[in-house]
Amino acid sequence: MSRLRVLLEAFRGRVTLKEYPFKTLSAPEGFRGLPRVDADECIGCGACTLICPSHALRLVEEDGVLVLKHFVSRCIFCTMCADVCPQQAIVVTKDYELAALEQSELEASIAHMMAECKECSRRFASEKTLEKVKEILGEQPYLYLCPDCRRKFFIAALTMGRR
Ligand code: SF4
Ligand code: SF4
């Protein structure tokens, strides 16, 4: 139905949306609907959680597992998460029917195994993220060190250099 026709129908007091919700209408080109994270592609790097303006994406540690959580009810569909994801793991769909009876239906989680620091055994990053860094940079002496041990490693290296 053309816009003019819709306006005319509205002025006449007639119903213009005859089809929906009885028939699902497809969203127009460029419509930003629900972003979905592909669990196979996600490496748990957390880049999307840093850019998300509404904290709809969060990376939390639960019992030694790193969990990427998506709280759909907080999402403002800006799609910045999809822009920064280094894995292109976030697909912006055209899904717009997001109402749910339970809050839990509006949450999605992806769990990642965590790597242990080879010095202090603390769990500090997802194994997949470290594998990706290794794939790009090759084997690095500090790769499997947590941030604290890495700092000690660099301070020791600087001190050695001064001697
Ligand atoms: S930025 Fe991409 S790869 Fe990194 S945690 Fe988010 S979805 Fe996963
Ligand atoms: S679309 Fe925007 S608000 Fe929604 S999860 Fe991505 S970055 Fe956050």
Side-chain angles (χ1 to χ4, degrees):
M1 196 183 291
S2 73
R3 284 188 186 178
L4 187 62
R5 178 85 194 278
V6 170
L7 276 172
L8 280 173
E9 293 288 308
F11 277 128
R12 286 176 188 152
R14 291 186 191 157
V15 178
T16 52
L17 288 175
K18 288 178 186 164
E19 295 168 339
Y20 189 81
F22 307 106
K23 185 180 161 193
T24 305
L25 301 177
S26 56
E29 202 52 47
F31 179 84
R32 294 185 304 208
L34 178 70
R36 283 189 202 282
V37 185
D38 183 332
D40 293 331
E41 289 300 320
C42 177
I43 56 173
C45 67
C48 55
T49 65
L50 297 177
I51 198 85
C52 179
S54 61
H55 303 291
L57 285 160
R58 294 183 65 191
L59 201 57
V60 291
E61 190 183 335
E62 287 178 354
D63 303 323
V65 176
L66 204 56
V67 185
L68 178 68
K69 294 192 172 207
H70 187 199
F71 301 97
V72 176
S73 55
R74 290 190 197 161
C75 184
I76 58 169
F77 311 103
C78 65
T79 72
M80 288 203 287
C81 52
D83 291 342
V84 298
C85 176
Q87 292 291 103
Q88 285 84 47
I90 302 179
V91 178
V92 180
T93 71
K94 288 186 177 178
D95 297 354
Y96 59 86
E97 289 189 310
L98 306 177
L101 292 175
E102 301 290 334
Q103 181 69 26
S104 57
E105 293 173 46
L106 295 171
E107 292 175 14
S109 299
I110 297 173
H112 291 281
M113 295 301 291
M114 292 183 83
E116 284 186 0
C117 171
K118 64 183 180 186
E119 277 297 308
C120 68
S121 303
R122 186 183 127 202
R123 291 200 168 110
F124 69 101
S126 85
E127 285 180 351
K128 275 184 166 181
T129 299
L130 297 183
E131 280 165 21
K132 189 72 189 176
V133 175
K134 193 169 155 187
E135 188 186 310
I136 296 167
L137 297 179
E139 194 69 61
Q140 300 290 332
Y142 52 79
L143 192 58
Y144 287 91
L145 293 176
C146 71
D148 287 343
C149 291
R150 200 174 296 177
R151 203 171 300 123
K152 286 180 198 157
F153 172 87
F154 282 120
I155 290 169
L158 284 172
T159 314
M160 292 276 281
R162 279 206 202 111
R163 280 182 192 150

